[in-house]
PDB file of all heavy atoms in Angstrom:
ATOM      1  N   LEU A   1       0.868  -1.174   0.000  1.00 98.00           N
ATOM      2  CA  LEU A   1       0.000   0.000   0.000  1.00 98.00           C
ATOM      3  C   LEU A   1       0.903   1.221   0.000  1.00 98.00           C
ATOM      4  O   LEU A   1       1.557   1.517   1.006  1.00 98.00           O
ATOM      5  CB  LEU A   1      -0.924   0.021   1.224  1.00 98.00           C
ATOM      6  CG  LEU A   1      -1.947   1.146   1.233  1.00 98.00           C
ATOM      7  CD1 LEU A   1      -2.976   0.928   0.108  1.00 98.00           C
ATOM      8  CD2 LEU A   1      -2.668   1.230   2.580  1.00 98.00           C
ATOM      9  N   GLU A   2       0.960   1.875  -1.154  1.00 98.00           N
ATOM     10  CA  GLU A   2       1.729   3.099  -1.287  1.00 98.00           C
ATOM     11  C   GLU A   2       0.833   4.245  -0.866  1.00 98.00           C
ATOM     12  O   GLU A   2      -0.253   4.436  -1.438  1.00 98.00           O
ATOM     13  CB  GLU A   2       2.187   3.272  -2.735  1.00 98.00           C
ATOM     14  CG  GLU A   2       3.075   4.472  -2.970  1.00 98.00           C
ATOM     15  CD  GLU A   2       4.501   4.258  -2.475  1.00 98.00           C
ATOM     16  OE1 GLU A   2       4.982   3.111  -2.530  1.00 98.00           O
ATOM     17  OE2 GLU A   2       5.123   5.238  -2.029  1.00 98.00           O
ATOM     18  N   MET A   3       1.278   5.014   0.128  1.00 98.00           N
ATOM     19  CA  MET A   3       0.459   6.099   0.668  1.00 98.00           C
ATOM     20  C   MET A   3       1.182   7.420   0.455  1.00 98.00           C
ATOM     21  O   MET A   3       2.292   7.609   0.987  1.00 98.00           O
ATOM     22  CB  MET A   3       0.188   5.863   2.155  1.00 98.00           C
ATOM     23  CG  MET A   3      -0.425   4.514   2.457  1.00 98.00           C
ATOM     24  SD  MET A   3      -0.868   4.305   4.198  1.00 98.00           S
ATOM     25  CE  MET A   3       0.745   4.363   4.953  1.00 98.00           C
ATOM     26  N   ASN A   4       0.584   8.301  -0.310  1.00 98.00           N
ATOM     27  CA  ASN A   4       1.151   9.612  -0.598  1.00 98.00           C
ATOM     28  C   ASN A   4       0.235  10.707  -0.061  1.00 98.00           C
ATOM     29  O   ASN A   4      -0.932  10.463   0.242  1.00 98.00           O
ATOM     30  CB  ASN A   4       1.346   9.778  -2.102  1.00 98.00           C
ATOM     31  CG  ASN A   4       2.311   8.766  -2.680  1.00 98.00           C
ATOM     32  OD1 ASN A   4       3.388   8.535  -2.129  1.00 98.00           O
ATOM     33  ND2 ASN A   4       1.938   8.151  -3.794  1.00 98.00           N
ATOM     34  N   SER A   5       0.792  11.907   0.019  1.00 98.00           N
ATOM     35  CA  SER A   5       0.021  13.070   0.496  1.00 98.00           C
ATOM     36  C   SER A   5      -0.709  12.740   1.791  1.00 98.00           C
ATOM     37  O   SER A   5      -1.904  13.026   1.938  1.00 98.00           O
ATOM     38  CB  SER A   5      -0.981  13.510  -0.586  1.00 98.00           C
ATOM     39  OG  SER A   5      -0.316  13.840  -1.781  1.00 98.00           O
ATOM     40  N   LEU A   6       0.004  12.161   2.711  1.00 98.00           N
ATOM     41  CA  LEU A   6      -0.615  11.718   3.953  1.00 98.00           C
ATOM     42  C   LEU A   6      -1.134  12.888   4.775  1.00 98.00           C
ATOM     43  O   LEU A   6      -0.550  13.980   4.782  1.00 98.00           O
ATOM     44  CB  LEU A   6       0.383  10.899   4.769  1.00 98.00           C
ATOM     45  CG  LEU A   6       0.570   9.464   4.273  1.00 98.00           C
ATOM     46  CD1 LEU A   6       1.861   8.861   4.820  1.00 98.00           C
ATOM     47  CD2 LEU A   6      -0.618   8.612   4.645  1.00 98.00           C
ATOM     48  N   LYS A   7      -2.241  12.629   5.448  1.00 98.00           N
ATOM     49  CA  LYS A   7      -2.897  13.627   6.279  1.00 98.00           C
ATOM     50  C   LYS A   7      -2.951  13.125   7.724  1.00 98.00           C
ATOM     51  O   LYS A   7      -2.933  11.907   7.952  1.00 98.00           O
ATOM     52  CB  LYS A   7      -4.322  13.858   5.779  1.00 98.00           C
ATOM     53  CG  LYS A   7      -4.435  14.234   4.325  1.00 98.00           C
ATOM     54  CD  LYS A   7      -5.888  14.310   3.895  1.00 98.00           C
ATOM     55  CE  LYS A   7      -6.027  14.657   2.423  1.00 98.00           C
ATOM     56  NZ  LYS A   7      -7.452  14.719   1.995  1.00 98.00           N
ATOM     57  N   PRO A   8      -3.060  14.032   8.675  1.00 97.00           N
ATOM     58  CA  PRO A   8      -3.172  13.578  10.075  1.00 97.00           C
ATOM     59  C   PRO A   8      -4.322  12.600  10.288  1.00 97.00           C
ATOM     60  O   PRO A   8      -4.209  11.693  11.123  1.00 97.00           O
ATOM     61  CB  PRO A   8      -3.398  14.889  10.834  1.00 97.00           C
ATOM     62  CG  PRO A   8      -2.686  15.910  10.016  1.00 97.00           C
ATOM     63  CD  PRO A   8      -2.923  15.493   8.585  1.00 97.00           C
ATOM     64  N   GLU A   9      -5.393  12.756   9.520  1.00 97.00           N
ATOM     65  CA  GLU A   9      -6.535  11.852   9.684  1.00 97.00           C
ATOM     66  C   GLU A   9      -6.269  10.456   9.136  1.00 97.00           C
ATOM     67  O   GLU A   9      -7.098   9.560   9.291  1.00 97.00           O
ATOM     68  CB  GLU A   9      -7.802  12.435   9.034  1.00 97.00           C
ATOM     69  CG  GLU A   9      -7.614  12.902   7.609  1.00 97.00           C
ATOM     70  CD  GLU A   9      -7.354  14.401   7.523  1.00 97.00           C
ATOM     71  OE1 GLU A   9      -6.544  14.930   8.330  1.00 97.00           O
ATOM     72  OE2 GLU A   9      -7.956  15.051   6.624  1.00 97.00           O
ATOM     73  N   ASP A  10      -5.121  10.247   8.504  1.00 98.00           N
ATOM     74  CA  ASP A  10      -4.728   8.911   8.075  1.00 98.00           C
ATOM     75  C   ASP A  10      -4.069   8.132   9.214  1.00 98.00           C
ATOM     76  O   ASP A  10      -3.775   6.940   9.063  1.00 98.00           O
ATOM     77  CB  ASP A  10      -3.756   8.980   6.897  1.00 98.00           C
ATOM     78  CG  ASP A  10      -4.396   9.553   5.644  1.00 98.00           C
ATOM     79  OD1 ASP A  10      -5.547   9.188   5.341  1.00 98.00           O
ATOM     80  OD2 ASP A  10      -3.724  10.355   4.958  1.00 98.00           O
ATOM     81  N   THR A  11      -3.835   8.788  10.327  1.00 98.00           N
ATOM     82  CA  THR A  11      -3.227   8.118  11.472  1.00 98.00           C
ATOM     83  C   THR A  11      -4.104   6.975  11.954  1.00 98.00           C
ATOM     84  O   THR A  11      -5.294   7.162  12.235  1.00 98.00           O
ATOM     85  CB  THR A  11      -3.005   9.117  12.621  1.00 98.00           C
ATOM     86  OG1 THR A  11      -2.041  10.099  12.210  1.00 98.00           O
ATOM     87  CG2 THR A  11      -2.514   8.417  13.879  1.00 98.00           C
ATOM     88  N   ALA A  12      -3.527   5.786  12.026  1.00 98.00           N
ATOM     89  CA  ALA A  12      -4.277   4.582  12.408  1.00 98.00           C
ATOM     90  C   ALA A  12      -3.331   3.397  12.449  1.00 98.00           C
ATOM     91  O   ALA A  12      -2.186   3.484  11.991  1.00 98.00           O
ATOM     92  CB  ALA A  12      -5.400   4.316  11.409  1.00 98.00           C
ATOM     93  N   VAL A  13      -3.839   2.299  12.962  1.00 98.00           N
ATOM     94  CA  VAL A  13      -3.171   1.013  12.782  1.00 98.00           C
ATOM     95  C   VAL A  13      -3.717   0.407  11.496  1.00 98.00           C
ATOM     96  O   VAL A  13      -4.940   0.318  11.320  1.00 98.00           O
ATOM     97  CB  VAL A  13      -3.405   0.069  13.972  1.00 98.00           C
ATOM     98  CG1 VAL A  13      -2.732  -1.280  13.718  1.00 98.00           C
ATOM     99  CG2 VAL A  13      -2.887   0.689  15.259  1.00 98.00           C
ATOM    100  N   TYR A  14      -2.831   0.033  10.607  1.00 98.00           N
ATOM    101  CA  TYR A  14      -3.216  -0.513   9.317  1.00 98.00           C
ATOM    102  C   TYR A  14      -3.067  -2.036   9.346  1.00 98.00           C
ATOM    103  O   TYR A  14      -2.014  -2.559   9.752  1.00 98.00           O
ATOM    104  CB  TYR A  14      -2.365   0.093   8.208  1.00 98.00           C
ATOM    105  CG  TYR A  14      -2.777   1.500   7.867  1.00 98.00           C
ATOM    106  CD1 TYR A  14      -2.558   2.551   8.754  1.00 98.00           C
ATOM    107  CD2 TYR A  14      -3.425   1.789   6.662  1.00 98.00           C
ATOM    108  CE1 TYR A  14      -2.965   3.842   8.459  1.00 98.00           C
ATOM    109  CE2 TYR A  14      -3.830   3.071   6.351  1.00 98.00           C
ATOM    110  CZ  TYR A  14      -3.598   4.097   7.257  1.00 98.00           C
ATOM    111  OH  TYR A  14      -4.009   5.373   6.960  1.00 98.00           O
ATOM    112  N   TYR A  15      -4.123  -2.715   8.899  1.00 98.00           N
ATOM    113  CA  TYR A  15      -4.170  -4.165   8.929  1.00 98.00           C
ATOM    114  C   TYR A  15      -4.321  -4.725   7.515  1.00 98.00           C
ATOM    115  O   TYR A  15      -5.122  -4.210   6.717  1.00 98.00           O
ATOM    116  CB  TYR A  15      -5.358  -4.649   9.747  1.00 98.00           C
ATOM    117  CG  TYR A  15      -5.314  -4.265  11.204  1.00 98.00           C
ATOM    118  CD1 TYR A  15      -5.895  -3.083  11.650  1.00 98.00           C
ATOM    119  CD2 TYR A  15      -4.705  -5.100  12.147  1.00 98.00           C
ATOM    120  CE1 TYR A  15      -5.865  -2.735  12.992  1.00 98.00           C
ATOM    121  CE2 TYR A  15      -4.680  -4.760  13.486  1.00 98.00           C
ATOM    122  CZ  TYR A  15      -5.256  -3.574  13.896  1.00 98.00           C
ATOM    123  OH  TYR A  15      -5.230  -3.234  15.225  1.00 98.00           O
ATOM    124  N   CYS A  16      -3.612  -5.797   7.274  1.00 97.00           N
ATOM    125  CA  CYS A  16      -3.766  -6.555   6.039  1.00 97.00           C
ATOM    126  C   CYS A  16      -4.833  -7.624   6.257  1.00 97.00           C
ATOM    127  O   CYS A  16      -4.939  -8.189   7.359  1.00 97.00           O
ATOM    128  CB  CYS A  16      -2.425  -7.205   5.697  1.00 97.00           C
ATOM    129  SG  CYS A  16      -2.378  -8.092   4.148  1.00 97.00           S
ATOM    130  N   ASN A  17      -5.615  -7.899   5.234  1.00 96.00           N
ATOM    131  CA  ASN A  17      -6.709  -8.860   5.338  1.00 96.00           C
ATOM    132  C   ASN A  17      -6.772  -9.753   4.112  1.00 96.00           C
ATOM    133  O   ASN A  17      -6.599  -9.295   2.981  1.00 96.00           O
ATOM    134  CB  ASN A  17      -8.030  -8.121   5.504  1.00 96.00           C
ATOM    135  CG  ASN A  17      -9.234  -9.034   5.413  1.00 96.00           C
ATOM    136  OD1 ASN A  17      -9.853  -9.152   4.359  1.00 96.00           O
ATOM    137  ND2 ASN A  17      -9.564  -9.682   6.508  1.00 96.00           N
ATOM    138  N   VAL A  18      -7.018 -11.025   4.363  1.00 94.00           N
ATOM    139  CA  VAL A  18      -7.331 -11.978   3.295  1.00 94.00           C
ATOM    140  C   VAL A  18      -8.678 -12.593   3.623  1.00 94.00           C
ATOM    141  O   VAL A  18      -8.882 -13.106   4.728  1.00 94.00           O
ATOM    142  CB  VAL A  18      -6.266 -13.081   3.178  1.00 94.00           C
ATOM    143  CG1 VAL A  18      -6.784 -14.227   2.318  1.00 94.00           C
ATOM    144  CG2 VAL A  18      -4.988 -12.530   2.584  1.00 94.00           C
ATOM    145  N   ASN A  19      -9.591 -12.517   2.656  1.00 91.00           N
ATOM    146  CA  ASN A  19     -10.909 -13.124   2.815  1.00 91.00           C
ATOM    147  C   ASN A  19     -11.020 -14.298   1.861  1.00 91.00           C
ATOM    148  O   ASN A  19     -10.852 -14.135   0.647  1.00 91.00           O
ATOM    149  CB  ASN A  19     -12.002 -12.105   2.537  1.00 91.00           C
ATOM    150  CG  ASN A  19     -13.377 -12.700   2.724  1.00 91.00           C
ATOM    151  OD1 ASN A  19     -14.001 -13.161   1.780  1.00 91.00           O
ATOM    152  ND2 ASN A  19     -13.844 -12.720   3.963  1.00 91.00           N
ATOM    153  N   ALA A  20     -11.267 -15.474   2.422  1.00 89.00           N
ATOM    154  CA  ALA A  20     -11.331 -16.691   1.619  1.00 89.00           C
ATOM    155  C   ALA A  20     -12.524 -17.520   2.067  1.00 89.00           C
ATOM    156  O   ALA A  20     -13.045 -17.316   3.172  1.00 89.00           O
ATOM    157  CB  ALA A  20     -10.040 -17.484   1.782  1.00 89.00           C
ATOM    158  N   PRO A  21     -12.961 -18.461   1.229  1.00 89.00           N
ATOM    159  CA  PRO A  21     -14.092 -19.309   1.627  1.00 89.00           C
ATOM    160  C   PRO A  21     -13.822 -20.085   2.918  1.00 89.00           C
ATOM    161  O   PRO A  21     -14.751 -20.476   3.624  1.00 89.00           O
ATOM    162  CB  PRO A  21     -14.246 -20.251   0.434  1.00 89.00           C
ATOM    163  CG  PRO A  21     -13.678 -19.495  -0.717  1.00 89.00           C
ATOM    164  CD  PRO A  21     -12.528 -18.720  -0.140  1.00 89.00           C
ATOM    165  N   TYR A  22     -12.555 -20.331   3.217  1.00 88.00           N
ATOM    166  CA  TYR A  22     -12.187 -21.120   4.387  1.00 88.00           C
ATOM    167  C   TYR A  22     -11.810 -20.278   5.593  1.00 88.00           C
ATOM    168  O   TYR A  22     -11.427 -20.808   6.642  1.00 88.00           O
ATOM    169  CB  TYR A  22     -11.015 -22.044   4.036  1.00 88.00           C
ATOM    170  CG  TYR A  22      -9.917 -21.362   3.259  1.00 88.00           C
ATOM    171  CD1 TYR A  22      -8.872 -20.700   3.908  1.00 88.00           C
ATOM    172  CD2 TYR A  22      -9.925 -21.347   1.868  1.00 88.00           C
ATOM    173  CE1 TYR A  22      -7.886 -20.069   3.197  1.00 88.00           C
ATOM    174  CE2 TYR A  22      -8.932 -20.712   1.141  1.00 88.00           C
ATOM    175  CZ  TYR A  22      -7.912 -20.068   1.815  1.00 88.00           C
ATOM    176  OH  TYR A  22      -6.934 -19.434   1.108  1.00 88.00           O
ATOM    177  N   GLY A  23     -11.925 -18.944   5.466  1.00 90.00           N
ATOM    178  CA  GLY A  23     -11.626 -18.106   6.622  1.00 90.00           C
ATOM    179  C   GLY A  23     -11.343 -16.666   6.274  1.00 90.00           C
ATOM    180  O   GLY A  23     -11.153 -16.313   5.113  1.00 90.00           O
ATOM    181  N   ASN A  24     -11.338 -15.825   7.297  1.00 93.00           N
ATOM    182  CA  ASN A  24     -11.016 -14.410   7.165  1.00 93.00           C
ATOM    183  C   ASN A  24      -9.800 -14.147   8.051  1.00 93.00           C
ATOM    184  O   ASN A  24      -9.856 -14.376   9.267  1.00 93.00           O
ATOM    185  CB  ASN A  24     -12.210 -13.566   7.613  1.00 93.00           C
ATOM    186  CG  ASN A  24     -12.092 -12.125   7.199  1.00 93.00           C
ATOM    187  OD1 ASN A  24     -11.621 -11.814   6.107  1.00 93.00           O
ATOM    188  ND2 ASN A  24     -12.510 -11.225   8.069  1.00 93.00           N
ATOM    189  N   TYR A  25      -8.720 -13.669   7.458  1.00 95.00           N
ATOM    190  CA  TYR A  25      -7.451 -13.607   8.167  1.00 95.00           C
ATOM    191  C   TYR A  25      -6.946 -12.176   8.267  1.00 95.00           C
ATOM    192  O   TYR A  25      -7.118 -11.369   7.342  1.00 95.00           O
ATOM    193  CB  TYR A  25      -6.411 -14.467   7.456  1.00 95.00           C
ATOM    194  CG  TYR A  25      -6.824 -15.910   7.361  1.00 95.00           C
ATOM    195  CD1 TYR A  25      -7.516 -16.378   6.255  1.00 95.00           C
ATOM    196  CD2 TYR A  25      -6.531 -16.796   8.383  1.00 95.00           C
ATOM    197  CE1 TYR A  25      -7.911 -17.702   6.168  1.00 95.00           C
ATOM    198  CE2 TYR A  25      -6.921 -18.124   8.312  1.00 95.00           C
ATOM    199  CZ  TYR A  25      -7.613 -18.568   7.203  1.00 95.00           C
ATOM    200  OH  TYR A  25      -8.004 -19.877   7.129  1.00 95.00           O
ATOM    201  N   TRP A  26      -6.291 -11.889   9.399  1.00 97.00           N
ATOM    202  CA  TRP A  26      -5.768 -10.555   9.657  1.00 97.00           C
ATOM    203  C   TRP A  26      -4.303 -10.635  10.074  1.00 97.00           C
ATOM    204  O   TRP A  26      -3.890 -11.584  10.742  1.00 97.00           O
ATOM    205  CB  TRP A  26      -6.546  -9.888  10.791  1.00 97.00           C
ATOM    206  CG  TRP A  26      -7.983  -9.661  10.492  1.00 97.00           C
ATOM    207  CD1 TRP A  26      -9.028 -10.493  10.777  1.00 97.00           C
ATOM    208  CD2 TRP A  26      -8.547  -8.518   9.832  1.00 97.00           C
ATOM    209  NE1 TRP A  26     -10.203  -9.934  10.343  1.00 97.00           N
ATOM    210  CE2 TRP A  26      -9.943  -8.728   9.758  1.00 97.00           C
ATOM    211  CE3 TRP A  26      -8.016  -7.336   9.304  1.00 97.00           C
ATOM    212  CZ2 TRP A  26     -10.810  -7.801   9.177  1.00 97.00           C
ATOM    213  CZ3 TRP A  26      -8.874  -6.418   8.728  1.00 97.00           C
ATOM    214  CH2 TRP A  26     -10.252  -6.650   8.674  1.00 97.00           C
ATOM    215  N   GLY A  27      -3.552  -9.608   9.741  1.00 96.00           N
ATOM    216  CA  GLY A  27      -2.210  -9.461  10.272  1.00 96.00           C
ATOM    217  C   GLY A  27      -2.272  -8.786  11.626  1.00 96.00           C
ATOM    218  O   GLY A  27      -3.350  -8.465  12.142  1.00 96.00           O
ATOM    219  N   GLN A  28      -1.093  -8.542  12.190  1.00 97.00           N
ATOM    220  CA  GLN A  28      -1.034  -7.966  13.538  1.00 97.00           C
ATOM    221  C   GLN A  28      -1.166  -6.447  13.516  1.00 97.00           C
ATOM    222  O   GLN A  28      -1.394  -5.826  14.555  1.00 97.00           O
ATOM    223  CB  GLN A  28       0.278  -8.357  14.224  1.00 97.00           C
ATOM    224  CG  GLN A  28       1.498  -7.502  13.863  1.00 97.00           C
ATOM    225  CD  GLN A  28       2.006  -7.737  12.449  1.00 97.00           C
ATOM    226  OE1 GLN A  28       1.580  -8.669  11.754  1.00 97.00           O
ATOM    227  NE2 GLN A  28       2.945  -6.897  12.021  1.00 97.00           N
ATOM    228  N   GLY A  29      -1.039  -5.858  12.349  1.00 97.00           N
ATOM    229  CA  GLY A  29      -1.181  -4.418  12.212  1.00 97.00           C
ATOM    230  C   GLY A  29       0.142  -3.679  12.275  1.00 97.00           C
ATOM    231  O   GLY A  29       1.108  -4.147  12.889  1.00 97.00           O
ATOM    232  N   THR A  30       0.186  -2.532  11.625  1.00 98.00           N
ATOM    233  CA  THR A  30       1.357  -1.661  11.684  1.00 98.00           C
ATOM    234  C   THR A  30       0.875  -0.221  11.876  1.00 98.00           C
ATOM    235  O   THR A  30      -0.069   0.215  11.224  1.00 98.00           O
ATOM    236  CB  THR A  30       2.225  -1.811  10.414  1.00 98.00           C
ATOM    237  OG1 THR A  30       3.420  -1.045  10.546  1.00 98.00           O
ATOM    238  CG2 THR A  30       1.488  -1.388   9.149  1.00 98.00           C
ATOM    239  N   GLN A  31       1.514   0.482  12.788  1.00 98.00           N
ATOM    240  CA  GLN A  31       1.074   1.820  13.154  1.00 98.00           C
ATOM    241  C   GLN A  31       1.580   2.852  12.152  1.00 98.00           C
ATOM    242  O   GLN A  31       2.770   2.884  11.819  1.00 98.00           O
ATOM    243  CB  GLN A  31       1.586   2.184  14.545  1.00 98.00           C
ATOM    244  CG  GLN A  31       1.275   3.596  14.996  1.00 98.00           C
ATOM    245  CD  GLN A  31      -0.203   3.802  15.284  1.00 98.00           C
ATOM    246  OE1 GLN A  31      -0.820   2.990  15.974  1.00 98.00           O
ATOM    247  NE2 GLN A  31      -0.766   4.896  14.775  1.00 98.00           N
TER     248      GLN A  31
END
């Protein structure tokens, strides 16, 4: 995820997600 022109309101923990028929998976997040 390339993020440009970042704004203060973009501040968050960002999570990666995979949605599959056998499950919904998340990473641990990055601040």
Side-chain angles (χ1 to χ4, degrees):
L1 185 68
E2 184 76 33
M3 306 185 295
N4 298 314
S5 301
L6 282 162
K7 305 175 181 179
E9 50 263 44
D10 294 318
T11 295
V13 178
Y14 284 70
Y15 297 91
C16 184
N17 171 263
V18 166
N19 181 265
Y22 45 88
N24 194 38
Y25 301 92
W26 297 92
Q28 82 289 350
T30 185
Q31 176 70 48

